[in-house]
Amino acid sequence: MLEIIKQPWPWYIAGPLIGLTVPALLILGNKHFGISANLRHICAACIPAKVPFFKYDWKKEVWNLLFVVGIIGGAAIAAIWLQNPASIELNPKLVEELAGYGITNYDSLVPGQLFSFENLLTIRGFLIMIVGGFVVGFGTRYAGGCTSGHSIMGLSNLQWPSLVATISFMVGGFLMANFILPLIMAL
Amino acid sequence: MAETKITDAAFDTDHEIRAQDSVCINESHLTHKWYHQIKYIVVGILFGVAFVKAEIISWFRIQEMFRLQSFHMFGVIGSAVVVGAISVWLIKRYNAKTIYGEKIEFHPKKFNKGQIYGGLLFGLGWAMTGACPGPLFAQLGTGAFAVLAVILSAIAGTWVYGYFRERLPH
């Protein structure tokens, strides 16, 4: 059994499980699935600075912060005890492209050759980690949600603004991965 | 139920602004003892395990998705939406209640242009960092500690949005 769990889970197992988070949170306490709001709660709790957007009772949303604590814990459990010993299997075209940028290590889910503290001081690393992180935070709040809030919760509730947001996410990602990222990676 | 009490008056002082900006709105009108919150940690743990085991927190899988080199991510998101939609439909159809007997509430989302501008910006960041806000925390959990820099930067981005919010087109 453990051997099966240790294998990477196919989409038709993982997707429905993630989808079940939606009714689980609703039934456990009327909570709407969404994660990016956490970043806002952290701002409201730590650096509100009299900005009206951060003046609300963030303590009412503590469940959302605890949900993230659980995600960190669950990821640690999976990484420590349920880890797949083999490297990730990728499309050979991607492997070839990444090799051109010097990315050759597939041992971890996040490429250590890109995401490291030393790389923060390189132009490539700074753009990918700091600028990338900044637009993730800025963009999700501007859009009113991220992939969990809009693409999963919003679409599950048949909200057309969430469909607009999801399409925008995909367009942005497609542009970055195919046209902009290759330029950054070549730096 | 003895430890629960209704706090309607304190609820929803800024529902309008939260409905627009924060997808996860706390709909519950009840307040509970602290240990009732533990269940959200448990759901988070299961969710975090699924994130890692399905490899959707992998920077590489996100690159594959946006290069249309793999069906995996589309399958995960697509089947999650189908299961979520069926669940929401069933909850509405049978008027399901929460475990506290409270009615489950849904609020319609309003369209604003932020969903396009912000969505595009987030998409750019998603393909760069290989992570959306949930996976960022999961990546940290797997021991990729440099991702802490990405998370701090995402918090900074959220703050800057909040600061300039009134001056941005919505």
Side-chain angles (χ1 to χ4, degrees):
Chain A
M1 184 64 189
L2 198 60
E3 285 312 303
I4 297 172
I5 292 175
K6 279 187 171 183
Q7 296 301 308
W9 298 356
W11 64 265
Y12 49 84
I13 302 289
L17 281 176
I18 290 168
L20 285 176
T21 311
V22 169
L25 291 174
L26 287 171
I27 290 169
L28 285 175
N30 243 342
K31 308 294 189 236
H32 282 213
F33 178 41
I35 299 174
S36 64
N38 257 294
L39 303 170
R40 184 183 176 199
H41 303 329
I42 294 169
C43 288
C46 304
I47 29 173
K50 293 182 183 158
V51 176
F53 191 62
F54 301 121
K55 284 173 89 178
Y56 61 96
D57 186 9
W58 62 270
K59 285 182 189 144
K60 286 175 78 93
E61 319 290 340
V62 154
W63 76 272
N64 202 242
L65 295 164
L66 294 173
F67 182 61
V68 160
V69 169
I71 291 177
I72 298 172
I77 290 168
I80 295 167
W81 289 297
L82 306 172
Q83 200 174 29
N84 173 29
S87 294
I88 191 167
E89 277 175 39
L90 294 167
N91 189 312
K93 273 192 221 154
L94 182 66
V95 174
E96 193 186 332
E97 186 192 332
L98 293 179
Y101 309 130
I103 306 294
T104 49
N105 187 331
Y106 297 95
D107 291 344
S108 148
L109 289 172
V110 178
Q113 287 163 317
L114 267 182
F115 292 82
S116 70
F117 288 110
E118 301 85 74
N119 270 346
L120 281 172
L121 301 173
T122 66
I123 296 171
R124 183 170 88 168
F126 181 84
L127 285 173
I128 288 177
M129 286 188 271
I130 302 301
V131 177
F134 188 90
V135 289
V136 164
F138 188 95
T140 47
R141 208 65 278 125
Y142 197 174
C146 61
T147 23
S148 55
H150 270 313
S151 308
I152 296 179
M153 183 68 227
L155 290 183
S156 291
N157 194 23
L158 310 178
Q159 297 293 305
W160 71 267
S162 288
L163 182 63
V164 173
T166 302
I167 292 169
S168 305
F169 298 163
M170 299 309 289
V171 170
F174 186 82
L175 288 175
M176 175 55 70
N178 293 282
F179 301 106
I180 309 172
L181 197 64
L183 303 175
I184 297 174
M185 294 293 281
L187 288 173
Chain B
M1 293 292 284
E3 72 263 24
T4 62
K5 67 177 171 38
I6 309 277
T7 53
D8 257 331
F11 175 71
D12 261 1
T13 46
D14 68 342
H15 184 264
E16 191 62 25
I17 192 170
R18 287 203 298 155
Q20 189 186 349
D21 300 309
S22 178
V23 173
C24 60
I25 306 170
N26 187 346
E27 298 295 349
S28 182
H29 298 221
L30 305 170
T31 51
H32 305 289
K33 288 260 195 298
W34 64 270
Y35 51 77
H36 284 254
Q37 304 274 7
I38 293 172
K39 57 187 185 285
Y40 301 112
I41 301 184
V42 176
V43 179
I45 289 173
L46 298 174
F47 194 67
V49 170
F51 261 178
V52 174
K53 290 314 300 174
E55 298 178 338
I56 67 170
I57 65 160
S58 165
W59 185 86
F60 302 107
R61 285 267 174 264
I62 303 299
Q63 300 306 321
E64 270 187 337
M65 164 174 70
F66 286 131
R67 287 171 175 76
L68 304 177
Q69 292 168 335
S70 165
F71 177 73
H72 183 79
M73 286 298 300
F74 297 102
V76 170
I77 298 173
S79 58
V81 171
V82 169
V83 169
I86 293 171
S87 312
V88 170
W89 182 80
L90 285 171
I91 286 172
K92 287 178 176 169
R93 171 76 179 72
Y94 293 100
N95 244 326
K97 301 274 197 292
T98 70
I99 53 171
Y100 301 106
E102 206 182 5
K103 183 182 179 349
I104 295 176
E105 289 175 46
F106 296 96
H107 293 276
K109 283 193 189 145
K110 284 197 196 119
F111 173 74
N112 72 69
K113 292 191 216 76
Q115 282 138 11
I116 298 173
Y117 303 138
L120 286 172
L121 282 173
F122 164 58
L124 296 173
W126 187 10
M128 267 202 267
T129 61
C132 15
L136 278 180
F137 292 103
Q139 288 175 343
L140 185 66
T142 62
F145 297 117
V147 174
L148 196 60
V150 186
I151 294 175
L152 290 174
S153 194
I155 293 169
T158 303
W159 192 88
V160 170
Y161 166 75
Y163 189 81
F164 289 107
R165 183 167 187 277
E166 306 301 327
R167 279 170 268 177
L168 293 168
H170 278 93

